[in-house]
Amino acid sequence: MAIFGLLMPVLLICSDIGQSCRSPDDFVGASSPGDIVIGGLFAIHGKMLHSEEKPLKPVIANCAGFEVQVFLQSLAMVHAIEIINNSTLLPGIKLGYEIYDTCAEVTRAMAAALRFLSKFNASKDLVELRCNYSDYMPRVKAVIGATYSEVSMSVARILNLQLIPQVSHASTAEILSDKVRFPSFLRTVPSDSYQTKAMAQLIHKSGWNWIGIIATDDDFGRLAVESFGLQAMANNVCIAFKEMLPAYLSDSTIHGKINQALEKIVKETRVNVIVVFLRQFHVIKLFRKAIERNINKTWIASDNWSAGVKISTIPNISRLGKVVGFTFKSGNMSSFHDFLSNLHSTPIGNNMFLREYTLLMSTCSHIKDQDLSKCISNYSLDTLMQNRTVTSSQQWREEFLIANIEPGFIHSTMLAVHAIAHAIRNRCQDRNCQDPYAFAPWELLEELKDITFTDNEREVYFDAHGDINTGYDVLVWKEIDGRMVITNMAEYDLEQDEFIFADEEDEIEFMNLKNVQSKCSKKCHPGQVKKVSASPHTCCYECISCPENYYTNRSDMDYCILCNNRTHWSPVNSSTCYKKMIQYLNWNDWFAVLLLVLSALGIVLICAILIIFTRNVDTPVVKASGGLTVCYVILLCHFLAFVSTGFFIGKPKPYTCKARQALFGISFALCISCILLKSLKILLAFSFDPKIQKILKCLYKPIPIASLCTGVQVLICVVWITVRSPFVEENSSIRRVIILECNEGSTVALGIMLGYIALLAFICFICAFKGRKLPENYNEAKFITFGMLIYFIAWIIFIPVYTTTFGKYLPAVEIIVILISNYGILSCTFFPKCYIILYKQEANTKSAFLKMLYNYSSKSAGNLSVNQSSLDSKSGTPPIPSANACRTKGDKNWLNGSCHFQASGYKEMRGDVPPKTSMGPAVPRRRLSSI
């Protein structure tokens, strides 16, 4: 294989003077020799010092802004390596380290990465360009870091060249889980996808949906905002604004961007929750200006700064509002505390970070602990040169270091060292690892992917994405005795996707976050639904009431739920459905009672009429009514019609639904049939037209007619009940109630039944109308006519009223029509006769009856003679004499107590009688007293 030698001098910075570095070793921040060397990348300083805005020469400048928290992370790496070297985990093998300061910038980290790739044990730092690096031995077997995701991405792409394992303790960007682009990258912290999911869950559970975001304008910030945006959308959380700050403090626009972000926060008055994905030095600058402007919000902190003691000690930090954050789960910190307590006895010759720290402590020795972080970050290496000889024992301030520990980062750093150590142990089981050439970095990478070890009695391993998902602790900042204290409030379980509380007090504190209002629109209460307004955000909406028969049972629902209209209902703006009341025309309903009273009154009248007619059976009025048999049948029909109204009242049952229409229809058809017979009989008795008499004689068959008319109605009802029988139905069309009613089964059948009765009534009406001018005192024809008119009017009105009426009083409509029809025919048929029987007894005698008949017959015969004379004058036919034969009982025409009339025969009228005969044959005689 062709091998190309490429000599690449690495640019260095000397950390003990303010000039460019003179040798590669001066570039190393801390180092310790060993059989196997592990590299480290930590942002010990927060920014690089550039002499001009745009560099003119390829010189890496010095750094400023000493970060105590990151410095502690580098010490955690040193401490973990010392623990392993002093344990039996790697017997006979010593781990060494080389730790570099990235100054939070990619450029410096790339320089350190190039040195990691340089060939092991070479006289000069050089990186060989090869086609295959399988047997290539770089200076380090693995790298821990970097602190920030953007730096880790750049370093990972270089380390991928030789597949050197990179285990980060703090880089959380979701993109780093992509093993296609970053195959050698692993981390001991969860991906940002979990953090953003946890943040969105917290915001959702707290009832917030209108929030702002401030993030760094780099790969980490943009990816975090993108991931959070997806999680927020899934939890119905809207982002009111996004403000991006420059990633580096050396950027000249950073102050303007911070002011712009604060202006946005002030402008958006409804936004009271701000999610912050920034580095600690960004947050310090942001918060100091926010305190000056008296901005009070709830801040959601990312893992970068949620446990930052340097931030929590900013003067008047409590004026900013509440801070709730997420940090990595930590372990037992006691051994690290002991390490820091004995730090003054640690040699500092090979650790430039320790030397710088001691210089800073000496320079800021007059500063109190709460302002010490600010003092330290304000110095650069150039300004420390004159204080480099101070060696007071107070320069360590171990309590200050312990107070600035961020347990999550310390634990994840030590966890990364232990993961590499366990992978080395597995790789060195069958080889001598004191030999630096025993294995290549890519072999160690394979071991790292498969290792499983125990940490604090918990099994840990790298998943398929190269992540150790340890979970998060939820932190809340509290002011206690004038100091801001960072305390644990809950634990977020990644697998169960829920918050776990140590005690009830923590849970109450978590629930109290709901007291903060951060919504675009007011909360929609149960019974209301969200209507999206003109805003592009779904969280900005109007609350409108749910319409009738719809409801919402929770707040801020997007749609109204339809009630089961068959069984439930709801008014406008309802939060629940109410069960419909079952209603029907009950027996105790006042209207039903009234109708029943009217029906009972009708039955009483029928009984009274029955008694009256029975006691006066031999009087002319009763005889003229057709006799007791016909009267009893008619009265029975009226009785059944009144009784049928009771089937329309009460809870509908199958048998009542079937019986009520049939009972009324058959009884009323029989009633009309009997009245029709009476009409025909009257016409037959008083008609003097032979043709009409002949027709009436043929038609007048009382029993067959009544049987036929009633039988047709019976047949209609039987077919109806058999084919489409009425049944009980629950009518849910009314809003609040279920109407229990009888469905007639077939409206056509009901129409045929009622139409058939109407047809009989019409025939009866025509016949009665023909006889309306018959004798007044005993003439039923005009009363029958009037009774039929009442029937027609009632049922004509019934049709539109019945079709437009709904509810429990629908049966009452038919009851009323039945009562009107029944009362109308009953009164017209029997009341006049009862009146004569009771109050005009002088008119209810045989003599009075005969006198009335005589007067009517005389009048009728006279009219007939006049008509005949008119005919004779035209045709020469002799006139018919007047019918005056019954003047006295002695007359020959009074026979057997009855008067018989004679008139000229029709033959005589036609000229068929001999001319000598003055009187033709008599008109056929008829007993009028039997009418």
Side-chain angles (χ1 to χ4, degrees):
M1 180 171 26
I3 300 176
F4 301 93
L6 178 61
L7 184 62
M8 297 181 63
V10 181
L11 300 177
L12 306 170
I13 293 179
C14 181
S15 61
D16 58 350
I17 59 173
Q19 303 172 356
S20 299
C21 63
R22 293 169 296 183
S23 69
D25 290 334
D26 292 335
F27 190 46
V28 181
S31 64
S32 177
D35 301 319
I36 297 174
V37 178
I38 301 174
L41 294 174
F42 295 90
I44 305 296
H45 293 85
K47 64 179 180 179
M48 294 179 65
L49 296 174
H50 298 287
S51 56
E52 56 275 317
E53 184 176 350
K54 294 182 180 179
L56 302 177
K57 297 180 180 180
V59 176
I60 300 177
N62 283 338
C63 302
F66 190 85
E67 298 289 338
V68 176
Q69 287 79 13
V70 183
F71 166 64
L72 288 169
Q73 294 167 24
S74 69
L75 292 181
M77 176 180 171
V78 173
H79 173 56
I81 290 176
E82 290 181 358
I83 290 175
I84 293 169
N85 287 337
N86 295 326
S87 70
T88 58
L89 181 63
L90 297 175
I93 302 173
K94 182 183 178 182
L95 296 181
Y97 56 84
E98 284 187 6
I99 301 175
Y100 295 83
D101 181 12
T102 64
C103 295
E105 293 217 22
V106 172
T107 308
R108 195 172 178 97
M110 295 284 279
L114 287 174
R115 186 134 199 251
F116 290 151
L117 292 178
S118 63
K119 194 170 184 179
F120 174 74
N121 209 18
S123 57
K124 292 183 179 181
D125 293 323
L126 59 89
V127 179
E128 292 184 1
L129 180 60
R130 296 187 178 185
C131 296
N132 188 338
Y133 286 97
S134 299
D135 57 351
Y136 183 85
M137 290 299 162
R139 290 178 61 90
V140 297
K141 290 290 195 293
V143 175
I144 292 178
T147 305
Y148 300 116
S149 294
E150 185 179 49
V151 176
S152 291
M153 292 179 202
S154 302
V155 171
R157 286 186 167 95
I158 293 181
L159 299 183
N160 285 345
L161 183 65
Q162 297 179 14
L163 288 181
I164 297 176
Q166 179 186 357
V167 184
S168 176
H169 64 291
S171 298
T172 57
E174 188 175 354
I175 193 174
L176 290 169
S177 294
D178 186 349
K179 296 302 104 180
V180 175
R181 282 184 280 185
F182 306 100
S184 64
F185 180 84
L186 302 100
R187 54 187 164 194
T188 55
V189 291
S191 162
D192 270 340
S193 62
Y194 293 106
Q195 178 177 218
T196 55
K197 186 176 183 180
M199 285 181 171
Q201 281 277 27
L202 181 140
I203 291 170
H204 177 69
K205 288 181 181 293
S206 300
W208 307 325
N209 67 4
W210 193 234
I211 56 98
I213 295 181
I214 303 177
T216 53
D217 192 11
D218 57 5
D219 290 339
F220 162 73
R222 287 188 292 270
L223 292 171
V225 169
E226 180 182 352
S227 176
F228 179 80
L230 295 174
Q231 297 294 343
M233 188 184 301
N235 286 277
N236 296 321
V237 176
C238 297
I239 300 171
F241 61 85
K242 302 173 187 175
E243 292 295 325
M244 310 300 287
L245 303 184
Y248 306 113
L249 291 180
S250 54
D251 193 312
S252 60
T253 64
I254 189 167
H255 295 287
K257 292 290 185 180
I258 290 175
N259 289 329
Q260 179 180 322
L262 294 176
E263 287 291 342
K264 194 71 175 179
I265 292 172
V266 172
K267 182 180 178 181
E268 290 286 348
T269 56
R270 291 174 295 178
V271 176
N272 290 311
V273 176
I274 313 294
V275 178
V276 181
F277 294 104
L278 296 176
R279 300 173 183 175
Q280 291 196 19
F281 46 76
H282 289 96
V283 177
I284 291 171
K285 289 186 175 294
L286 176 72
F287 278 8
R288 282 176 178 163
K289 290 196 175 186
I291 291 170
E292 292 175 3
R293 304 186 64 162
N294 292 318
I295 294 175
N296 187 289
K297 301 291 181 181
T298 296
W299 308 86
I300 307 299
S302 65
D303 50 47
N304 275 350
W305 64 274
S306 59
V309 177
K310 184 165 62 174
I311 302 172
S312 67
T313 55
I314 295 175
N316 300 317
I317 188 67
S318 59
R319 289 165 52 185
L320 277 177
K322 186 180 290 291
V323 176
V324 180
F326 292 83
T327 188
F328 311 123
K329 289 189 68 64
S330 60
N332 190 347
M333 295 288 105
S334 59
S335 67
F336 188 61
H337 288 180
D338 294 338
F339 173 76
L340 295 180
S341 298
N342 298 318
L343 194 60
H344 59 274
S345 62
T346 304
I348 63 173
N350 63 341
N351 194 324
M352 296 181 184
F353 306 138
L354 273 175
R355 295 209 303 268
E356 183 178 358
Y357 172 73
T358 57
L359 290 174
L360 287 169
M361 289 297 102
S362 299
T363 304
C364 299
S365 58
H366 60 287
I367 304 298
K368 295 181 180 180
D369 283 356
Q370 57 265 30
D371 298 322
L372 191 55
S373 294
K374 183 178 180 181
C375 177
I376 291 173
S377 60
N378 286 337
Y379 284 93
S380 66
L381 290 174
D382 296 335
T383 58
L384 291 174
M385 291 304 301
Q386 52 189 310
N387 298 324
R388 56 188 296 189
T389 59
V390 179
T391 57
S392 171
S393 61
Q394 290 184 338
Q395 64 188 349
W396 294 99
R397 290 200 184 185
E398 291 87 352
E399 295 81 5
F400 170 74
L401 289 175
I402 293 174
N404 279 272
I405 289 176
E406 295 177 337
F409 287 106
I410 300 299
H411 179 255
S412 61
T413 304
M414 297 179 68
L415 196 62
V417 175
H418 281 276
I420 293 172
H422 279 82
I424 292 173
R425 185 189 64 176
N426 292 348
R427 177 53 58 183
C428 295
Q429 286 179 353
D430 56 354
R431 65 191 72 191
N432 179 17
C433 287
Q434 292 179 347
D435 180 5
Y437 296 93
F439 62 88
W442 63 269
E443 295 177 279
L444 183 61
L445 177 62
E446 294 303 314
E447 291 290 345
L448 273 169
K449 292 178 181 179
D450 297 330
I451 63 161
T452 300
F453 61 99
T454 302
D455 176 63
N456 293 331
E457 299 181 355
R458 184 171 61 93
E459 192 176 75
V460 293
Y461 57 89
F462 292 100
D463 63 14
H465 301 292
D467 305 334
I468 294 180
N469 296 319
T470 55
Y472 294 96
D473 286 328
V474 183
L475 306 178
V476 61
W477 292 17
K478 298 180 183 178
E479 188 176 19
I480 301 175
D481 297 331
R483 292 179 59 250
M484 189 62 71
V485 179
I486 302 173
T487 61
N488 275 10
M489 180 172 61
E491 174 187 345
Y492 179 72
D493 190 294
L494 304 183
E495 294 180 357
Q496 298 180 13
D497 188 23
E498 64 180 15
F499 295 96
I500 301 172
F501 303 95
D503 51 45
E504 187 177 354
E505 184 179 348
D506 289 339
E507 187 172 3
I508 292 173
E509 187 171 19
F510 184 88
M511 298 304 294
N512 286 339
L513 293 176
K514 292 184 178 180
N515 296 331
V516 178
Q517 295 296 317
S518 187
K519 291 190 172 187
C520 181
S521 302
K522 289 184 178 180
K523 180 180 180 181
C524 288
H525 300 288
Q528 296 179 319
V529 66
K530 296 189 295 186
K531 180 184 178 183
V532 178
S533 60
S535 170
H537 298 284
T538 58
C539 300
C540 299
Y541 50 79
E542 299 174 4
C543 294
I544 60 173
S545 298
C546 286
E548 190 175 285
N549 289 328
Y550 286 83
Y551 74 100
T552 54
N553 55 6
R554 298 192 309 273
S555 301
D556 290 336
M557 289 190 66
D558 297 317
Y559 58 91
C560 293
I561 305 171
L562 176 65
C563 294
N564 183 352
N565 286 340
R566 292 191 60 83
T567 57
H568 291 77
W569 72 281
S570 67
V572 175
N573 195 27
S574 177
S575 60
T576 186
C577 288
Y578 301 96
K579 193 171 183 180
K580 289 185 175 181
M581 296 177 59
I582 295 178
Q583 289 188 355
Y584 50 85
L585 190 59
N586 208 337
W587 293 102
N588 55 9
D589 189 281
W590 69 270
F591 196 53
V593 172
L594 176 63
L595 296 176
L596 286 172
V597 169
L598 292 174
S599 297
L601 180 62
I603 293 173
V604 170
L605 289 175
I606 290 170
C607 294
I609 293 169
L610 189 65
I611 293 171
I612 293 170
F613 270 57
T614 303
R615 294 183 63 179
N616 297 274
V617 65
D618 293 327
T619 60
V621 171
V622 176
K623 289 181 178 180
S625 298
L628 278 181
T629 304
V630 175
C631 291
Y632 284 171
V633 172
I634 294 175
L635 289 174
L636 176 63
C637 293
H638 283 296
F639 173 78
L640 293 176
F642 280 124
V643 169
S644 70
T645 59
F647 290 91
F648 289 86
I649 300 173
K651 186 176 182 179
K653 296 179 181 178
Y655 73 89
T656 58
C657 291
K658 295 175 183 177
R660 63 182 193 175
Q661 298 289 6
L663 182 61
F664 165 72
I666 294 171
S667 62
F668 218 73
L670 179 59
C671 177
I672 300 297
S673 300
C674 292
I675 295 173
L676 176 61
L677 289 174
K678 293 178 70 174
S679 300
L680 291 174
K681 188 174 182 180
I682 292 169
L683 283 178
L684 182 63
F686 289 98
S687 176
F688 297 99
D689 190 336
K691 292 182 179 180
I692 296 176
Q693 279 190 350
K694 185 177 180 181
I695 294 170
L696 291 175
K697 280 183 181 180
C698 295
L699 291 176
Y700 187 68
K701 309 292 182 184
I703 295 177
I705 288 177
S707 301
L708 177 63
C709 293
T710 309
V712 171
Q713 186 72 304
V714 171
L715 180 63
I716 291 171
C717 293
V718 169
V719 173
W720 179 13
I721 293 174
T722 304
V723 178
R724 296 287 296 276
S725 177
F727 57 91
V728 180
E729 181 183 47
E730 291 183 352
N731 185 351
S732 304
S733 60
I734 301 179
R735 183 163 62 100
R736 299 189 179 188
V737 296
I738 296 174
I739 303 298
L740 204 60
E741 61 185 10
C742 289
N743 187 310
E744 302 301 347
S746 172
T747 54
V748 175
L750 176 64
I752 292 173
M753 186 198 77
L754 296 177
Y756 178 71
I757 297 174
L759 177 63
L760 293 178
F762 182 73
I763 296 171
C764 187
F765 171 78
I766 296 299
C767 294
F769 186 78
K770 289 284 187 181
R772 68 188 183 279
K773 295 181 180 179
L774 295 179
E776 293 183 0
N777 288 2
Y778 303 97
N779 182 16
E780 290 185 277
K782 61 182 178 181
F783 293 110
I784 292 172
T785 303
F786 190 64
M788 294 302 112
L789 280 176
I790 293 174
Y791 169 82
F792 285 132
I793 292 171
W795 285 93
I796 288 171
I797 294 173
F798 164 78
I799 294 171
V801 173
Y802 188 82
T803 54
T804 56
T805 303
F806 55 89
K808 70 175 183 178
Y809 291 110
L810 180 62
V813 175
E814 191 166 353
I815 293 175
I816 292 171
V817 176
I818 291 173
L819 291 176
I820 292 173
S821 305
N822 226 20
Y823 270 110
I825 295 174
L826 180 67
S827 8
C828 291
T829 305
F830 292 99
F831 282 10
K833 295 179 175 56
C834 291
Y835 177 76
I836 294 173
I837 292 171
L838 296 176
Y839 299 104
K840 289 194 174 184
Q841 295 181 2
E842 69 277 5
N844 192 21
T845 60
K846 186 179 291 186
S847 59
F849 184 65
L850 290 175
K851 184 179 179 181
M852 179 272 299
L853 291 177
Y854 173 76
N855 293 335
Y856 176 76
S857 60
S858 299
K859 183 179 178 181
S860 299
N863 291 337
L864 185 61
S865 298
V866 172
N867 293 337
Q868 185 64 40
S869 298
S870 300
L871 290 173
D872 289 345
S873 65
K874 294 180 182 180
S875 60
T877 305
I880 299 175
S882 299
N884 54 2
C886 292
R887 295 174 181 263
T888 64
K889 275 190 176 183
D891 291 339
K892 62 181 180 179
N893 290 325
W894 181 268
L895 298 175
N896 300 324
S898 300
C899 184
H900 298 269
F901 296 93
Q902 293 180 350
S904 300
Y906 289 105
K907 290 182 179 179
E908 240 180 304
M909 290 180 187
R910 292 192 300 267
D912 296 334
V913 196
K916 293 182 179 180
T917 308
S918 60
M919 291 288 292
V923 175
R925 294 176 297 176
R926 183 181 305 278
R927 277 181 63 89
L928 298 181
S929 62
S930 63
I931 299 174

